[in-house]
């Protein structure tokens, strides 16, 4: 059945397939709390027709979009509603990024400055006067608790033990991302621990830059593209070595797999399939019988799993939850899949803070009702938001697995599979 | 990944089938490309509303026996039993429904037209016959700025049924806030605003202050996306009985049905993939071995049995182009004319031939591909050929009953 006749009617992001059914509106977290946001249907495919005629129809209110992609997840016609909105912002917005946009978006720059003075930075960031200054001068809401910076970055820790990694004969490459690097190297160490115990050495990318998701959201897509090209170059080298590129952040993965090509015009087709969330890679290796995990008898935990927006968009939640379900002592409760409200740098800005908290309040409410030992999720900003807003601790599934792992038994099982 | 049964399509059909199998102990997965047409459902399930001669049906069980052989109901072994099972399934997921399969009652459309129905969510306006409502006088109260109810048509049509209507409207600060965006002040967003207890109390106060003169207060159905708690909460605060009138879509009662089914399925342990498109599968010796999807292209989903519940043209379960009507995932055989001129009638309100198009199945609801029957690929719901959801008002009944029949067929293998 050829579709030659229909080729011409294929529109960018499928916007002509929109039926105006309004299902996207039902699932938009912003639309539910913010009447000033035109909503996904109007901001996306409806308005696109007008914008194609005349760019003056672009509305700066589109910046209220969280880029959560839940509109796309819900759409029955496969219209890329979120992409249409983001692309319109990139193409038509005349808003120049302000200082707080640049600061929040440049995680590498701020991370480097902040971690070098970590004890001082962390202390200062907790003080009310500092927060007041950040609030009034920088527009960063005073209610926000900044995640602590680590004095030693993950990369610095890695370099100290890089030689250790070379004693393995099989490798994976790890894209660690800004969060693990500057704020929480423990997550990177947990990933390395699991890999090493399973018989895999871990390499880093030759040169790693922030994935750029915050740059795209803050109107700095040119810089995002440049950083993307650096990452692409490094990833191609890893792929050439035959090493899968693993990540521990759902948003970094989603950005580099989807947003690079959809929004930044970067051709990533040669690395796309090699790039995967670590939980997905582990699950599939176990499924194929190439890797085995054993867990401690004394490990007990009740965890509530939060479905991060980009994880829902990737469709990979079954991998993370499937992996967690392999731990005998773990009780897994699935929270209703909803946006936590922070949307990366969005929720840090004072003009968005209240909205963010309104959006996330059903999530916080359900967590308190479930009362788990900890919450689990694959996204680091969800982790900050939930920790800040509920007081419950939040762990990446990789950290839970690393903690539950029976190291000796796992090592034995994997040396057997190799034999 | 390996499952006992994989269900493709997350609407009324898919979830009815998946939930039944999961509760029977099967390891199931449900994969859907997006949300389904329950978002447009007014909160009622139809068994059969009109016969093939266009007459309103009073007793659906009796009338079904007279439907032409091509109708999918003839592939359901015992309609009465499965109708009871369907009603029980809904009750078990927190959706007790009013109505019986022996005799249709009437629901009220947003325009005020009475339409035959089998099951309706309690609280929605219902009547025993088409021409009257069970009240002499009602007060219809709308929310100022809520546009998804055509008030003048509704009021006019209620009056034609011999019921007097007093028309009132109200607002509260929270609703005024939501009203600032007329395009987003949809029933679902109003429901979210009113999920807050304080906001709901202000609504009750505003309604009580209207001093309604009718026997009941009619409100647009804007409460309770996930359950009936908010409705119950409001009814306790208002000093008259309250009934709800279905709105234009997005429809809160329909979304409640979808939400309860989906949550129950997940609680029963089923794997649910909310936004993935099945792109194809591998067949071997007239069996479907595994399927692949867009988000997990290097994953193979194996199952003993598969159920196609992908819906009709709106949901892309069926598609058409200049060359014909086709089933886009597996290229299954369809019952459809290959002459495009035969697809439609000129007058839009005539019965349209394309409405009956769908995929071909045998008496066990197994599908065909290039003339060969596929021994483990079933189909259920709107994707089936031989029914007409508009002219017969049979869609949701076909969805649930064929879904249950397929589940039974699989469990009895």
């Amino acid at each position: 059945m050829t579709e030659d006749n229909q080729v011409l009617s294929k529109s960018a992001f499928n916007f002509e397939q929109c039926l105006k059914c309004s299902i996207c509106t039902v699932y938009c977290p912003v639309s539910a709390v913010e009447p000033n946001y035109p909503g996904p249907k109007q901001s996306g495919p409806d308005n696109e027709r007008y914008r194609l005629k005349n760019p003056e129809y672009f509305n700066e209110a589109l910046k209220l979009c969280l880029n959560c992609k839940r509109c796309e997840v819900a759409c029955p016609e496969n219209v890329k509603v979120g992409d249409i909105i983001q692309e319109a912002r990139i193409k038509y917005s005349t808003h120049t990024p302000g200082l707080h946009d640049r600061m929040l978006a440049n995680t590498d720059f701020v991370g480097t400055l902040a971690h070098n003075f970590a004890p001082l930075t962390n202390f200062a960031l907790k003080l009310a006067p500092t927060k007041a200054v950040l609030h009034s001068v920088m527009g960063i809401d005073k209610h926000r608790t900044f995640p602590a910076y680590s004095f030693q970055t993950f990369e610095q820790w890695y370099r100290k033990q890089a030689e250790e990694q070379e004693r393995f004969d099989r490798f994976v490459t790890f894209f660690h991302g800004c969060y693990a690097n500057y704020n929480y190297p423990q997550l990177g160490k947990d990933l390395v621990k699991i890999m090493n115990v399973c018989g895999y050495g871990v390499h880093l990318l030759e040169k790693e830059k922030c994935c750029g998701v915050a740059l795209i959201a803050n109107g700095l897509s040119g810089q995002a593209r440049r950083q993307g090209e650096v990452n692409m170059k490094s990833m191609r080298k890893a792929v050439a070595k035959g090493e899968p590129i693993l990540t521990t952040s759902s948003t970094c993965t989603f950005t580099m797999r989807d947003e690079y090509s959809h929004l930044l015009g970067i051709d990533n087709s040669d690395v796309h399939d090699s790039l995967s969330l670590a939980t997905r890679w582990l699950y599939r290796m176990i499924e194929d019988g190439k890797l085995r995990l054993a867990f401690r008898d004394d490990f007990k935990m009740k965890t509530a799993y939060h479905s991060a927006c980009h994880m829902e968009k990737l469709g990979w939640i079954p991998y993370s939850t499937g992996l967690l379900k392999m731990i005998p002592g773990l009780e897994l409760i699935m929270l209703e899949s909803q946006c936590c409200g922070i949307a990366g740098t969005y929720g840090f800005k004072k003009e968005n803070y209240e909205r963010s908290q309104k959006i996330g309040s059903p999530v916080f409410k359900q967590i308190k009702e479930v009362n788990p030992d900890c919450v689990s999720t694959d996204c680091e900003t969800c982790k900050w938001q939930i920790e800040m807003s509920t007081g419950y601790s939040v762990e990446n599934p990789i950290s839970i697995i690393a903690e539950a792992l029976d190291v000796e038994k796992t090592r034995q099982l994997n040396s057997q599979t190799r034999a | 990944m390996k499952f006992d049964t994989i269900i493709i399509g997350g609407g009324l059909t898919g979830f009815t089938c998946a939930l039944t199998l999961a509760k029977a102990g099967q390891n199931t997965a449900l994969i859907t490309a997006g949300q389904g047409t329950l978002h447009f459902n007014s909160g009622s399930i139809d068994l059969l509303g009109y016969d093939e001669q266009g007459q309103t049906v009073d007793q659906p069980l009796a009338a079904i026996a007279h439907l032409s052989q091509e109708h999918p109901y003839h592939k359901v072994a015992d309609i009465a039993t499965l109708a009871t099972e369907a009603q029980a399934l809904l009750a078990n997921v927190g959706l007790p429904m009013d109505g019986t399969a022996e005799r249709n009652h009437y629901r009220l459309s947003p325009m005020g037209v009475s339409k035959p129905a089998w099951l309706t969510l309690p609280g929605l306006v219902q009547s025993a016959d088409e021409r009257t409502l069970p009240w002499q006088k009602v007060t219809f109260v709308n929310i100022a700025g809520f546009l998804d109810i055509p008030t003048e048509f509704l009021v006019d049509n209620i009056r034609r049924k011999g019921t007097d209507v007093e028309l009132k409207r109200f607002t509260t600060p929270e609703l005024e806030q939501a009203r600032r965006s007329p395009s987003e002040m949809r029933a679902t967003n109003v429901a979210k605003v009113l999920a807050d207890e304080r906001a709901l109390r202000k609504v009750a106060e505003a309604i009580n202050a209207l001093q309604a003169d009718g026997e009941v207060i009619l409100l647009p159905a804007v409460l309770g996306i996930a359950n009936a708690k908010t409705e119950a909460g409001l009814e306790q605060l208002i000093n008259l009985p309250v009934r709800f009138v279905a709105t234009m879509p997005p429809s809160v009662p329909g979304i409640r049905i979808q939400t309860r089914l989906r949550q129950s399925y997940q609680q029963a342990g089923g794997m649910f993939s909310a936004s993935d498109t099945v792109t194809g599968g591998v067949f071997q010796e007239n069996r479907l071995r595994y399927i692949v999807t867009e988000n997990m292209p290097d994953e193979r989903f194996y199952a003993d049995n598969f159920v196609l519940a992908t819906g009709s043209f709106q949901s892309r379960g069926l598609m058409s182009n200049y060359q014909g009507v086709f089933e886009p995932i597996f290229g299954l055989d369809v019952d459809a004319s290959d002459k495009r001129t035969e697809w439609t009638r000129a007058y839009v309100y005539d019965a349209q031939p394309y409405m009956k198009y769908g995929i071909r199945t045998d008496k066990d609801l197994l599908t065909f591909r290039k003339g060969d029957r596929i021994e483990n690929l079933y189909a259920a719901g709107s994707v089936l050929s031989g029914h007409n959801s508009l002219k017969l008002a049979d869609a949701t009944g076909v969805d649930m009953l064929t879904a249950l029949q397929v589940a039974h067929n699989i469990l009895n293998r």
Side-chain angles (χ1 to χ4, degrees), chain B residues 224-290:
Chain B
I225 292 180
N227 54 54
K229 286 195 204 134
T230 323
E231 278 180 357
L234 183 72
E235 279 162 342
Q236 282 175 351
L237 295 169
I238 295 196
N239 45 27
L240 274 179
V242 179
R243 290 289 179 275
F244 297 94
V245 179
T247 69
M248 313 280 256
S251 168
V252 168
I255 294 168
R256 187 190 306 167
I257 298 174
Q258 169 84 19
T259 305
R260 286 307 309 138
L261 285 170
R262 192 246 319 144
Q263 285 175 341
S264 304
Y265 173 66
Q266 286 179 293
Q267 276 156 23
M271 182 190 119
F272 172 58
S273 199
S275 177
D276 205 355
T277 304
V278 177
T279 49
V282 167
F283 292 86
Q284 207 174 58
E285 285 164 19
N286 294 337
R287 290 184 71 85
L288 179 56
R289 286 204 63 222
Y290 63 85

Side-chain angles (χ1 to χ4, degrees), chain B residues 186-204:
Chain B
R186 315 303 292 270
T188 43
N189 278 341
V190 173
K192 289 171 193 176
V193 168
L194 298 181
D196 176 70
E197 267 181 46
R198 280 165 306 177
L200 189 70
R201 231 175 287 131
K202 286 189 215 164
V203 165

Side-chain angles (χ1 to χ4, degrees), chain A residues 64-233:
Chain A
L64 296 173
C65 167
L66 304 175
N67 198 26
C68 69
K69 307 294 198 207
R70 287 198 185 253
C71 45
E72 294 187 9
V73 167
C75 177
E77 301 303 313
N78 207 21
V79 178
K80 305 295 181 203
V81 183
D83 285 353
I84 294 171
I85 296 169
Q86 294 310 308
E87 202 199 50
R89 292 184 61 207
I90 292 172
K91 256 165 70 175
Y92 303 113
S93 176
T94 51
H95 168 82
T96 339
L99 184 58
H100 78 343
D101 298 326
R102 288 180 188 278
M103 241 200 71
L104 288 169
N106 269 289
T107 33
D108 278 330
F109 177 67
V110 172
T112 307
L113 282 184
H115 92 84
N116 276 311
F117 301 97
L120 196 59
T121 317
N122 294 338
F123 176 68
L125 282 173
K126 289 200 185 101
L127 297 175
T130 317
K131 288 188 177 191
V133 170
L134 283 172
H135 185 99
S136 54
V137 174
M138 298 290 301
I140 293 170
D141 196 281
K142 62 178 180 278
H143 296 96
R144 284 293 172 208
T145 318
F146 263 83
Y149 284 89
S150 171
F151 185 57
Q152 182 191 51
T153 66
F154 172 73
E155 277 192 6
Q156 285 170 337
W157 171 85
Y158 177 86
R159 258 178 255 134
K160 288 212 169 108
Q161 55 82 65
E163 269 178 43
E164 283 282 298
Q165 297 301 318
E166 293 312 313
R167 63 182 168 85
F168 293 93
D169 51 21
R170 290 180 303 182
F171 297 93
V172 297
T173 292
F174 177 37
F175 176 97
H176 51 69
C178 303
Y179 172 66
N181 198 35
Y182 300 111
N183 302 100
Y184 197 60
Q186 186 57 46
L187 177 55
K189 295 176 193 174
D190 290 337
L191 189 284
V192 171
K193 170 183 172 181
I194 297 172
M195 291 300 152
N196 289 169
V197 168
C198 291
Y200 283 82
V202 178
H203 286 151
L204 296 189
L205 286 175
E206 186 181 74
K207 193 163 186 200
E208 182 182 313
K209 292 243 154 209
C210 166
C211 71
V213 65
L215 292 164
I216 298 171
N218 286 286
L220 296 160
S221 51
Q223 187 182 346
R225 191 176 298 112
R226 287 191 293 278
Q227 290 184 192
E229 294 290 5
V230 170
N231 285 332
M232 285 297 303
K233 196 164 164 210

Side-chain angles (χ1 to χ4, degrees), chain B residues 148-174:
Chain B
D148 285 337
I149 258 211
T151 313
E152 292 205 23
F153 283 105
L154 177 69
V155 166
D156 202 45
N157 276 322
I158 294 177
R159 287 194 178 129
R160 280 172 206 245
K161 294 187 211 297
T163 299
D164 195 8
V165 187
E166 179 190 36
L167 178 58
K168 297 217 184 255
R169 64 173 44 85
F170 76 98
T171 190
T172 66
E174 290 81 12

Side-chain angles (χ1 to χ4, degrees), chain A residues 172-175 187 190-192 194-195 198 244-251 253 274-288 291 293 295 305-306 308 310-312 314-327 330 332 376-379 395-402, chain B residues 1 296 298-299:
Chain A
V172 297
T173 292
F174 177 37
F175 176 97
L187 177 55
D190 290 337
L191 189 284
V192 171
I194 297 172
M195 291 300 152
C198 291
I245 306 161
L246 306 185
T247 62
T248 47
S249 159
S250 43
T251 291
T253 317
S274 305
L275 182 57
S276 174
L277 210 55
T279 50
R280 173 174 175 244
W281 185 81
L282 284 167
Y283 184 95
R284 303 204 60 247
M285 290 291 280
I286 293 170
E287 209 182 21
D288 290 345
L291 196 146
L293 295 176
F295 297 100
Y305 182 82
H306 167 73
H310 293 158
M311 197 64 184
E312 187 75 87
L314 283 167
W316 290 354
I317 289 167
Y319 291 123
S320 285
T321 52
L323 211 55
L324 286 172
K325 283 187 199 166
M326 293 180 191
I327 305 173
L330 188 95
L332 180 74
S376 47
T377 188
D378 299 88
C379 173
E395 294 300 333
N396 188 297
I398 289 291
S399 294
I400 296 177
I401 289 170
Chain B
M1 294 196 187
M296 305 192 185
D298 41 6
E299 189 68 54

